Each structure stands twice: as structure tokens, then as C-alpha cells.
Amino acid sequence: IGADGLGLISYADFTNEALKVAHCSNAACTSATISTLDSDGDVGSVTSITIGADGLGLISYFDSLNKNLKVAHCDNAACTSATISTLDSDGDVGKETSITIGADGLGLISYRDQTNKNLKVAHCDNAACTSATISTLDSDGSVGTDTSITIGADGLGLISYYDFTNTALKVAHCSNTMCTLATTSTIDSDRISFSGWGYNTSISIGADGLPLISYIQLKEIGVADGNLKVAHCDNAFCSPYFRRR
């Protein structure tokens, strides 16, 4: 929801290989103004949007052609145009991105480094996120799939993601505002059957101030049949002691 109280939606136009935005015309969003923000190559897949401290939209997304992490900073509330920046171009990076605004008012972006199979974070250097400080948070095996990021009650970033090597749901709790370091924890896994526990993660902070994570448990790797699960963290760090529903 933008500073004008209206919805702002980022999405991929696969036909034209572009990043687009829909700015709702009313609270119910029965109509919207559509704008193309980036059409330079095959861009716009796996988008994530938030509203910055300046009241303008900030969108992280994957450049499929160049295998880069990019950001679009809206020039106005309706986001009819945007300033485009490439944040990380070191290999095949930027997949499965998620963005939030940190306690310092700057963007914080989680994503997967496909080349090295790591979980990475980009901390924006300014409100427009024209540049960022890049950090690798987890490089223990093939990790960083299906990332989702939020800011905890302690003001630090919290990232849920899938550990493909151990077929597990993991969480990284940032050690500082820039998230240059993090404490990682395995929240849910099944080392016996090695089914997929932790696909399609999504994280938020509940009214109790504790993280709440939804995810999929596949019965077998590569099989669509599975269960919806939820992990309710017992503390801000989201240590492995949690309640499952």
C-alpha cells in the first residue's frame, strides 16, 4: 500500500519480457494505471515490492537475460516511471528475491546466488537503492531458495528460506541492521525421508511480535502433492524451538 493509501503491484509481463506496475485507482482496486518500468532484455521475473521511507515504491526483481539482481525505485506515488539500478551482477544472482525496509529506512533484499548456491542479502546504500552492500549469509550446501524477508521486533532482518541440500526450512536472523552477518537456524527438516520441507516460504511478524512462517512440505522431492505448514517462532531469533500447526 502506497503513501497515497492505494495498492501498488509489481509483476512480470512475460509476453514482452518486461517489469510492469499496476497502481490501483481506488481502495478496492477495481481498476488501475499500468506502467512499464523496465523492458531492457528479459526482466521482471520474481518481483517483490515495498514502500520506502520516502513514500515511494521500491521493487527488487531478477534480470533473466543478464542473470542480475535489479531494483526499480519509483519516481512518483503512481510509479509511472522509475530509476533502474543493477545491484549484483556477480554470476547468476537475484533469483527468488524479497524486499523490505530496515529500521534504518533503507531497503534490505534477500535473494539466491544460483552460481554458488548461497543465500545473499543486499543492503541499499540510499533510499533509491542505486547501490548496495552485498553479503553472503549462508553458503553451507545448496541454500537460499524461496527467500522471504521481514524486519523483526528487534529491528533486525529475518529471512526464511529453503535448504535444498538438507531438504529443510531455515531462518537467518541478521546480526546488524545492514545484515552483513546472520545467525542461521534449521526450523523444520526430515533427514529420514529427505522430502522437501520448506518450499515456498513466506514470513511475517505477528501481533505478538514473533515471526510466523508459512511453507510447503512435499511428500517426495519433485512431487507436487504436499502439505501447508506453519512455524510460529518462540523468540525474535527464531531458534529451532517452535510450535508447528
Side-chain angles (χ1 to χ4, degrees):
I1 303 298
D4 58 3
L6 299 174
L8 196 63
I9 306 162
S10 62
Y11 62 102
D13 177 343
F14 287 105
T15 299
N16 298 295
E17 299 180 338
L19 170 69
K20 299 179 82 171
V21 158
H23 177 257
C24 299
S25 303
N26 49 60
C29 202
T30 55
S31 63
T33 301
I34 309 299
S35 303
T36 298
L37 299 185
D38 189 356
S39 57
D40 185 14
D42 184 1
V43 295
S45 64
V46 201
T47 80
S48 181
I49 190 168
T50 191
I51 303 299
D54 58 3
L56 299 175
L58 194 64
I59 306 162
S60 61
Y61 60 103
F62 181 55
D63 179 341
S64 300
L65 178 64
N66 298 297
K67 312 296 183 187
N68 296 338
L69 171 69
K70 298 183 78 174
V71 159
H73 178 257
C74 299
D75 294 328
N76 48 59
C79 203
T80 54
S81 63
T83 301
I84 308 298
S85 303
T86 297
L87 297 186
D88 193 352
S89 57
D90 186 13
D92 185 354
V93 293
K95 288 185 177 179
E96 295 160 51
T97 177
S98 181
I99 190 169
T100 191
I101 301 299
D104 58 2
L106 299 175
L108 193 63
I109 305 164
S110 62
Y111 60 101
R112 177 172 164 87
D113 177 343
Q114 183 67 25
T115 298
N116 298 297
K117 305 189 185 321
N118 296 338
L119 170 68
K120 297 181 79 173
V121 158
H123 176 264
C124 300
D125 294 328
N126 48 59
C129 203
T130 54
S131 62
T133 301
I134 308 297
S135 303
T136 298
L137 299 185
D138 192 351
S139 57
D140 186 13
S142 180
V143 295
T145 303
D146 296 342
T147 79
S148 181
I149 191 168
T150 190
I151 302 298
D154 58 2
L156 299 175
L158 196 65
I159 305 159
S160 61
Y161 59 102
Y162 180 60
D163 177 341
F164 190 85
T165 297
N166 297 296
T167 62
L169 171 70
K170 295 183 76 173
V171 162
H173 178 264
C174 299
S175 302
N176 50 57
T177 304
M178 292 182 66
C179 202
T180 54
L181 296 170
T183 301
T184 61
S185 302
T186 297
I187 302 302
D188 198 0
S189 66
D190 182 3
R191 291 177 175 271
I192 298 175
S193 66
F194 287 95
S195 58
W197 296 47
Y199 278 105
N200 292 38
T201 77
S202 184
I203 191 169
S204 187
I205 303 300
D208 58 2
L210 297 175
L212 193 64
I213 308 166
S214 63
Y215 59 104
I216 293 175
Q217 172 209 337
L218 295 181
K219 293 182 178 179
E220 296 179 40
I221 294 295
V223 177
D225 188 17
N227 300 321
L228 170 66
K229 300 184 75 174
V230 163
H232 178 259
C233 301
D234 290 329
N235 49 65
F237 287 82
C238 201
S239 62
Y241 303 100
F242 65 100
R243 293 180 288 278
R244 255 185 317 203
R245 304 255 194 301

